Amino acid sequence: MDESRKVIYTGEAQIMTQMGALPISFDIEADNLAAAVANYREAAKAGVEKTMKELQELRRAAASKIVVPGQPGFTPPEGAGGSGLVMP
């Protein structure tokens, strides 16, 4: 073990979603293994909360994205026809 470096304790958990298990990893603030085990619950809770906030931000960003013709995800409305021209 390299005594000149600080030990970093990392925890892992999973939450079940409609799409399956979502793995979550997080750092645990502690000076030794016993303290890391004792702090696991609070660190896991904070890790889940942080992940949920990040997911909400991703959903907001995806919902507000402007989709234009020629980009993946654009589907013209039924019966819209169109000339087939794609602007660069």
Side-chain angles (χ1 to χ4, degrees):
M1 185 162 106
D2 187 352
E3 297 293 331
S4 66
R5 295 183 184 200
K6 180 183 176 190
V7 176
I8 299 173
Y9 296 95
T10 303
E12 294 181 356
Q14 291 183 352
I15 57 173
M16 293 304 295
T17 69
Q18 293 175 347
M19 302 296 288
L22 176 65
I24 299 173
S25 61
F26 46 89
D27 290 340
I28 304 171
E29 293 294 325
D31 295 327
N32 56 56
L33 183 58
V37 171
N39 295 340
Y40 176 86
R41 182 182 186 137
E42 288 302 315
K45 183 178 175 182
V48 169
E49 288 173 359
K50 179 182 174 192
T51 300
M52 297 307 291
K53 286 178 184 177
E54 289 173 355
L55 286 173
Q56 289 173 350
E57 287 299 318
L58 288 172
R59 283 187 195 127
R60 268 193 280 269
S64 66
K65 182 179 177 185
I66 298 174
V67 180
V68 295
Q71 289 186 342
F74 177 79
T75 305
E78 292 277 330
S83 65
L85 294 175
V86 178
M87 299 301 286

